[in-house]
Amino acid sequence: MKPEEKVARIKALKGMGHIAAVTAYDYPTAQLVGEAGLDLLLVGDSLGVVVLGYENPLSVTMDEMLHHTRAVARGTKVPLIVGDMPVNTYRRPEEALGNARLFLEAGAEGVKVEGPRLEVVEALTGEGIPTLGHIGLTPQTIQEYKVQGRDAGSAERLLGEAKGLEKAGAFAMVLECVPEDLGKRITEGISIPTIGIGAGRYTDGQILVVSDLLGLFDRYVPKFARQYLNLRGEIRRALEDYRHDVESGRFPGEENVYR
Ligand code: KIV
């Protein structure tokens, strides 16, 4: 499917609550995301934290994001692949356009930018680059990790930002860490899909960081995430079994040797 067809498909899912999105950062995970039939794959800047081991996503570089986007793009053609623009790579429209094009060359089919960066979103969408917005808790600029839009003033501000992103041409937006009733209000107040992460049950879709979903990251598990697997436990068990087998002479076995 062409990128514009994938975007149209996602937009057509508005109102159904069915858009399934996830982050991924490498070839095998991207393959599995495609095989599982998810709609959107975000090469998130969470890469910096959950894969590269930085303290926060601000340390991730454009080169690192492109390297992982290439790996993901080799793995699947099924979901819409969106590259997450790292901090300070879209300060001005021209800078955003240059870096977004690098993402497209690396195999992304769209880009995500954080915050109500309307000029930047207009510039990107004006050049036909599918752009995913991201409001609510925006890790690149947030001072404190907490639920956003709890009081009337900030809820109004977020609704305004969502409408601004829609007008600027974003095809959808991530809504992160807002109360469920605000997630619903924003979703009902705009005509493009909202993809929630910690935004309750009434957004047009959900996105999770794959490492939270698979139980691969142990520093913290956010309240909004559901862990479908304890992959850390599984992998550790396999590695320990392997070590025991080597130490006890059970590996390699008869079936593993050449004659
Ligand atoms: O970088 C990321 O993983 C994200 C998701 C939390 C939406 O932006």
Side-chain angles (χ1 to χ4, degrees), residues 19-36:
I19 300 166
V22 71
T23 68
Y25 318 97
D26 59 39
Y27 170 80
T29 312
Q31 279 186 315
L32 293 167
V33 169
E35 286 170 26

Side-chain angles (χ1 to χ4, degrees), residues 15-70:
M16 297 185 195
H18 287 169
I19 300 166
V22 71
T23 68
Y25 318 97
D26 59 39
Y27 170 80
T29 312
Q31 279 186 315
L32 293 167
V33 169
E35 286 170 26
L38 277 81
D39 301 300
L40 186 148
L41 185 163
L42 174 70
V43 187
D45 64 356
S46 47
L47 163 77
V49 178
V50 299
V51 174
L52 303 180
Y54 298 140
E55 202 51 46
N56 60 55
L58 303 185
S59 304
V60 81
T61 66
M62 192 66 195
D63 280 349
E64 287 164 340
M65 290 299 298
L66 295 176
H67 175 75
H68 285 265
T69 301
R70 282 185 209 104

Side-chain angles (χ1 to χ4, degrees), residues 113-251:
V113 297
E114 285 190 10
R117 308 293 309 282
L118 305 187
E119 254 188 45
V120 162
V121 175
E122 265 167 23
L124 294 170
T125 58
E127 288 298 308
I129 300 173
T131 305
L132 181 64
H134 182 165
I135 57 169
L137 194 154
T138 47
Q140 290 178 5
T141 47
I142 204 75
Q143 309 291 329
E144 198 189 344
Y145 275 76
K146 60 172 194 187
V147 178
Q148 305 292 302
R150 276 219 155 111
D151 60 84
S154 57
E156 276 316 308
R157 178 179 51 77
L158 285 174
L159 183 58
E161 289 179 5
K163 289 183 175 167
L165 286 172
E166 175 186 12
K167 196 152 171 253
F171 74 87
M173 72 193 66
V174 170
L175 208 49
E176 180 163 354
C177 261
V178 298
E180 185 172 67
D181 58 349
L182 180 59
K184 183 169 190 285
R185 195 165 152 224
I186 292 177
T187 300
E188 289 171 357
I190 57 175
S191 65
I192 57 170
T194 56
I195 305 179
I197 174 160
R201 290 164 289 182
Y202 305 108
T203 51
D204 297 305
Q206 301 290 331
I207 182 163
L208 281 179
V209 170
V210 74
S211 322
D212 292 337
L213 188 159
L214 298 178
L216 251 181
F217 184 67
D218 69 334
R219 265 198 248 159
Y220 53 81
V221 180
K223 169 184 162 70
F224 56 70
R226 181 175 292 168
Q227 214 174 71
Y228 285 84
L229 203 60
N230 176 6
L231 206 46
R232 281 191 99 251
E234 296 290 313
I235 293 174
R236 194 179 47 240
R237 197 165 27 252
L239 291 169
E240 284 167 359
D241 286 352
Y242 166 65
R243 178 169 65 83
H244 292 146
D245 282 356
V246 172
E247 286 172 358
S248 65
R250 281 196 301 268
F251 179 82

Side-chain angles (χ1 to χ4, degrees), residues 93-126:
E94 319 77 65
E95 182 181 47
L97 276 171
N99 285 317
R101 289 194 182 108
L102 294 178
F103 267 108
L104 299 186
E105 281 165 28
E109 297 165 304
V111 294
K112 174 168 87 59
V113 297
E114 285 190 10
R117 308 293 309 282
L118 305 187
E119 254 188 45
V120 162
V121 175
E122 265 167 23
L124 294 170
T125 58

